[in-house]
Amino acid sequence: QVQLVESGGGLVQAGGSLRLSCAASGRTFSRYDMGWFRQAPGKEREFVAGINWRSSSTSYGDSVKGRFTISRDNAKNTVYLQMNSLKPEDTAVYYCAARYSTLEYNYWGQGTQVTVSS
């Protein structure tokens, strides 16, 4: 089992950058695929980015491609989301998630708020 804690959210102007971090507990973090999701008020949860356990494969939601970058440091049990060229529509609660040998992400953090002002 893994526990996830996000940090790094905040208020930023449009065009700015933020880096989110997700610290994971557990010695088997390096075996988990990791992902970032977000949910804006009144909207469904949206996939943002994912990275496999080997860091050999990443994927992104269409709305963030070319602006966001996911990475991980298995030595630090941490996954990151670098967000550049932020837009007001990126405003949401961002969640870190993990999965191990499943298609569904089954471990979730508590979320961190990102607000982008115009």
Side-chain angles (χ1 to χ4, degrees):
Q1 190 168 356
V2 62
Q3 293 182 327
L4 306 172
V5 179
E6 303 96 333
S7 62
L11 174 64
V12 64
Q13 289 188 334
S17 298
L18 279 176
R19 188 176 80 156
L20 304 183
S21 299
C22 173
S25 64
R27 294 180 293 177
T28 58
F29 168 78
S30 61
R31 293 293 185 175
Y32 287 81
D33 295 339
M34 301 298 297
W36 286 97
F37 292 77
R38 67 186 182 187
Q39 188 166 21
K43 295 188 176 181
E44 293 187 354
R45 187 171 61 197
E46 174 188 17
F47 172 77
V48 175
I51 186 167
N52 70 342
W53 65 279
R54 293 181 176 181
S55 298
S56 60
S57 176
T58 59
S59 58
Y60 296 92
D62 288 342
S63 61
V64 306
K65 282 181 181 176
R67 299 188 298 122
F68 291 12
T69 303
I70 188 171
S71 62
R72 67 190 296 164
D73 185 338
N74 287 343
K76 295 182 178 180
N77 278 17
T78 302
V79 62
Y80 304 98
L81 184 68
Q82 178 67 43
M83 306 186 294
N84 298 330
S85 302
L86 283 161
K87 305 175 182 180
E89 50 264 44
D90 294 318
T91 295
V93 177
Y94 282 72
Y95 297 93
C96 175
R99 66 183 182 189
Y100 178 69
S101 296
T102 65
L103 292 177
E104 298 292 328
Y105 286 88
N106 47 7
Y107 298 101
W108 294 84
Q110 83 289 348
T112 185
Q113 176 71 46
V114 171
T115 303
V116 184
S117 63
S118 57

